Each structure stands twice: as C-alpha cells, then as structure tokens.
Amino acid sequence: MTAYRPLMEFAEVEVRYQAEPALMDISFRIEEPAFTVVVGPNGAGKTTLLKTALGLVKPARGRVVVLGVDVVKDPWRVRRMIGYVPQRERIDQTMPALVKDIVLMGRALRRPLIGRLSEEDVEAALRALERVGLSNLWDAPFAHLSGGQQQRVLIARALAAEPKLLLLDEPLSGVDAASQEVIVRLLADLARSGVGVVMVSHDLNPVLDYADYVLLLNRRLIAFGRPAELLEPDLLSKTYGKDVKVFRMGTQCFVISGDSHA
Amino acid sequence: MLELLTSHILARALTAALTASVVSALVGTFLVLRRLSSMGAAIAHMCFAGAIAAYVAGVNPMVGALVPSLLLALAASYARRKREGQSEAILAAAIGISSAVAALALSFSREYSAVAFSYLVGDVLGVSEDEVSLLIAVSALITAIVALLYRGLKYSALDPETAEAMGLRVSLFEYLLGVLAALLLVVEIRVVGMILAQVYLVAPAAAAWEIAHSVEGMMALAIALSLISAVAGFSTSIALDLPTSAVIGVVAATIYAITLTLSPKRRGRCLLAFLRRECKV
C-alpha cells in the first residue's frame, strides 16, 4: 500500500461555483487506509469535497492528492483506482437494469472497452454481491429492490472494481436502520482489510462506533480527528450551525440537534 | 409485368422501412436511456431544414442535411457538459431555427413545396435502389459501432455520474451517440421522412423503457415494437391507400401511448387514476 500514500490529502483547497465559495481553506491528510466519515449539514460542501477528490471539480486554489497522485494533473489515473457510490437519489431508480448489470458495471469499467467479460469477472462481481449479503438477488430487477437493498447493490458495484479507495456519497440516506448497520459494519471491515473508505454523511450517529476518523465540515474544516475527540457540543454546534447536544449512556454516545439527530 | 414491378417496388419499400425501424430502435434505446430524446428530434428538424436549404441552393441535399446535423449533435453534447441546464434551450432553439430556415427556403418558389413534403413524410414507395443500399450500408456501420462499443454506450447511458467517476470518458460516448443519430437521420429522411424518422428514433425505445428490466431487454423490445409498427403500418397503408410513413408513425405512437398508460413500472396507476378522475397528468 505504500505506493499509494497518502490515501488522500487536501492542502489549502478552495473550491468555488461561479463566485460562490463551496469549500474554503481545507487542509487534512489521511495517510493509511482507514474508515473516514465527512460529516456536515446540507450545503456544507461534502459532495463537492468528494467531487474534488475525483477531479470532477477543479479547485480554485490548493493541492489535492489521492492515492499518491495529483488529482488536478492526472484525474483519470485516480478514477481508475477508485470505487464510487453516488447518492441513490441521483440515479434513476427505475432504470432498466438487473442487479447483475449494475454490479458487473463496476467490473467492466476496469476492463478494456472492447471484448467480453471473463468468467473471472463474473465471479468477482458475484463475490462483491455476496459481501453485501445480496447474492440471491443476482437476477432481480434493480427497480424492484428496497432502498436499503439498492444502496447495498451500488456498494457491491464499487467493490467489484476492487478499488484501492472507496468514496461514498450519503450511503445511509433514506436507508432503514438495519441496512445502515449492515453498510457501516461492511465499510469498517473493508477499511480493516486495507481499502481506504471515505464516506459522506449528514448523520453522525450511525457511524460513531465504527469510524476511524471524522471530518467535521461546513464549507470550512471545523475539525478532523478520532470520533471520541470530536464529540464536543461546541465543535458540533459550529458544524451544524445550531445548538447540538451530546448524550452519553454507558459506552454509547448520541448526538442530538434541536428536534432531530445531527 | 406490372405485377412483378409492383411487387419489386413493395419489397424494396418494405426493406427500407424495416431496416430503418431496426437501426432507429437500436440508437433510440441509448438516446432514451441517456435522456437525449429531444436531441434526436432537434437533429431530425435540422436534417429537414438542411436538406431543403441545400436543394434550393443547388447543393446535394444529403450534404446539406449532414453538416448542420453533425454540428448540432456535437454542440448539444458540448452544451450538456459545459453549460448544464442550457442544452434543452439550445435544442428547442434549433427546432425553431430549422423550421424558420425551411420556411424561408420554401418562400423562394412554390415548386419546392413538393420536395419539402417528400422530406417531411418520406417516399417509401418511391425509394430508389441506391437510396436503399445507402440506408443498409449506414445501418450496418452503425450496428457494428454499437456492437463494438456496446459496454461504453450502455454504462455511460445507464449511470453517467458513476461511469465518469470510475474512469469512463462519458463525454466521448455522448458525442458518439449524437453523431450516430445524425448519420442515421440523414439517410432516413429521404426514405421515411423527418416525421417518421424521429418517431422511429424515440417511440419504440420509450415504449420499451416502460416495460423492460434490462438494457438488452429494452433493446430487443424496442426493435420488436419498431418492426411491428413498420409491418402493421406498411400493410395498412397499402390496403387503405394512405401515406406509408404517416401510418407507420401513427401505429408506433399508438403503441407508445398504450405502454405509457399501462406501464408495469407505473403499475397502471395513471390509467386507474384517470378512471377515478384523479389523474393530474
């Protein structure tokens, strides 16, 4: 893995949409494969941060290095090593595709465009689907699945590419609690097995027990560190722009903001 | 002798109608999946205007149709990427502008009206051997390109955001799709006319989208529906002595309307809601 260091580094990065700043003065460094969660309210620039890491958005200032490669200079090299899971709401959930089409897409994007996929590719896709616990749905229409199942299929697609780094945009959004637990455990396992995971979430609670690092973001970097170090009401209130409380029950922590979870 | 001649003309016309239907469904599947149906319609209008303007100017109408169509296909794909939200406006403007150019060209002389009508509704029964050969050759070329680059076309249409994020150059496939649609429409417009060319390109694929659960299923269904429209429309037009392209177009549009109303994806909700006087569509 040493060849791919740092896993992700942002140095004084600023991103603007027209004149509007989306990210300001962002600096952090993730050295080793770890489960990192980027947390912040809507409009905090979380998706922009992922798009900048992918080279889909160019920073107005600063340097972005992913898997040891300067993203601005060579975005395609980075993209070919990454597994990406988009926001489920952004894809057409009624698209005419079977689960196997979706998962095989992850594999096919790593192969030459011309030619057939091998048996080995199909087996790798099946293994990825097995890993998210849905191998029985190989031939099912994607549109027939529940939100949680669809999300897990999208993760399987990214895994089928055997990525060095997995980027996920709000994979817990609109997903039931049981599926959230399955997804978060899986991501933590992946990080332990040497795949870097960077996940965006507006909700901190489901990942508190599993994340190695948390990055609090609200257009500016509020804090970056171990989850236990960041469970400070002041930091969280600054992130969400409203009063946030931290409740501790034994070894468990919950973050509550106003009338809902943070 | 007359019977032999008639049967030869009918066979040639049917070959042209069936070839156009199959390849249009093939390209149309990707256009509908990628939400580029309106680009197909705009290119068809541009073909029409370009052919008329070229005819009036004494230039080869096919060249006149090809150049602005390719330019529009490339410009629309570029605008879609660089000026998000404006590509629909560009396509709508292209339809308006091409109609205006066609009307202006026609104003020079009344004799051009017959030519314009033939480009509008086609002349399947009057199609020449060379025109059918060209249609078959271009169709074979398009089919070969689609078969060769199938995976890229499929994934860039199915989920462009993820495909691009994971290393597929989606923009190249968008440009390619626009160019294939332009090539197809240019050779089809003389044979089946602008109206049927754009119906062929969108209606069967859109109908198949409502029913199919895979891209391959959608493509097969689009081709089947397109062939059914062609055969049913062709035989009805001969039996009732009506314009062939217009009848095929009506059949294809009717099939689309039926699938849209009874779509399993919508679980017939629209029809049921309408029957309950709740339909807000």
Side-chain angles (χ1 to χ4, degrees), chain B residues 49-65:
Chain B
I52 301 290
Y55 184 85
V56 170
V59 179
N60 184 335
M62 201 161 272
V63 175

Side-chain angles (χ1 to χ4, degrees), chain A residues 54 56 76 79 82 84 86 90-92 94-98 101 105 108 110 112-115 141 144 157 161, chain B residues 33 35 148 151-152 154-155 158-159 161-169 173 209 212-216 218 265:
Chain A
L54 285 161
L56 295 171
W76 294 103
R79 288 177 206 173
I82 277 179
Y84 176 66
R90 285 180 62 84
I91 66 167
D92 179 3
T94 61
M95 61 181 159
L98 301 173
D101 293 327
M105 176 179 170
R110 291 289 178 269
L113 275 176
I114 297 167
H144 287 186
R157 172 174 65 180
Chain B
L33 268 178
R35 305 280 193 268
L148 200 65
R151 284 215 304 266
K154 174 179 167 177
Y155 296 134
L158 212 51
D159 184 355
E161 183 185 339
T162 304
E164 178 127 6
M166 289 178 68
L168 185 71
R169 292 179 190 261
F173 287 96
W209 188 91
H213 288 304
S214 70
V215 177
E216 291 74 18
M218 179 179 165
K265 283 185 181 170

Side-chain angles (χ1 to χ4, degrees), chain A residues 1 32 51 64 84-86 109 127 147 184 200 248 256-257:
Chain A
M1 264 307 197
E32 303 277 348
K51 287 187 171 178
V64 182
Y84 176 66
V85 180
L109 290 173
R127 275 199 305 277
V184 172
V200 153
R248 294 171 200 276
I256 308 283
S257 95

Side-chain angles (χ1 to χ4, degrees), chain A residues 1-8 30-31 65-69 77 81 164:
Chain A
M1 264 307 197
T2 46
Y4 302 112
R5 280 184 181 170
L7 194 77
M8 187 181 287
I30 306 168
E31 193 65 38
V65 177
V66 175
L67 294 166
V69 179
R77 190 170 153 212
M81 293 192 281
K164 305 280 184 289

Side-chain angles (χ1 to χ4, degrees), chain B residues 228-262:
Chain B
I228 290 168
S229 308
V231 173
F234 192 87
S235 44
T236 307
S237 73
I238 299 296
L240 301 178
D241 195 20
L242 293 168
T244 307
S245 292
V247 179
I248 296 175
V250 168
V251 174
T254 305
I255 291 173
Y256 177 45
I258 292 168
T259 54
L260 193 64
T261 314
L262 299 173

